[in-house]
Amino acid sequence: KFPSTCPPGTLMLEGTNEAYVTLHVLERSAVHATLDGEEGRCFQKREEDRVMVYCRVPEGGGDHKLEIYAMPAGAKCVNRPAACSFRVLADPTFKGGLDCFPLVRY
């Protein structure tokens, strides 16, 4: 959700602890995401040239940073600058959401 009172690049959560962004990327590119440096708080779903990057913030509100990295498929995400980042403002009143996504390795 992008309320008019938030600066660009800010995701404001209301009634949830989960946010997502949709990116258009080349099919031969890979995407990696972290929330506050933790990859377990992010999940991505790819559909052709679109990647939906989801993140879940911990309970208690706060100010978080979602960083998304792009690289050639098969490349490692080591010492790469983020392709984009978002400020994620959590809802301090939200309770009961799942904290992270299960980590699945292929």
Side-chain angles (χ1 to χ4, degrees):
K1 183 175 179 179
F2 288 92
S4 60
T5 58
C6 285
T10 299
L11 305 172
M12 182 178 279
L13 306 184
E14 292 178 9
T16 184
N17 72 327
E18 186 173 301
Y20 77 93
V21 294
T22 302
L23 306 170
H24 290 274
V25 298
L26 297 173
E27 287 190 44
R28 61 182 182 270
S29 297
V31 172
H32 176 81
T34 63
L35 182 75
D36 299 332
E38 297 181 47
E39 66 181 274
R41 295 198 172 277
C42 298
F43 174 79
Q44 54 186 280
K45 180 181 175 186
R46 184 176 202 119
E47 293 179 1
E48 298 176 11
D49 69 338
R50 288 182 303 145
V51 175
M52 284 75 70
V53 176
Y54 297 83
C55 68
R56 288 183 178 154
V57 299
E59 275 190 10
D63 197 337
H64 303 276
K65 187 174 185 180
L66 172 63
E67 293 182 292
I68 302 172
Y69 306 85
M71 64 219 73
K76 298 226 184 259
C77 185
V78 177
N79 297 325
R80 292 184 181 273
C84 59
S85 64
F86 298 87
R87 181 180 184 196
V88 182
L89 297 175
D91 182 347
T93 64
F94 182 76
K95 302 274 189 247
L98 296 175
D99 244 12
C100 59
F101 294 96
L103 184 58
V104 178
R105 300 239 186 247
Y106 294 86

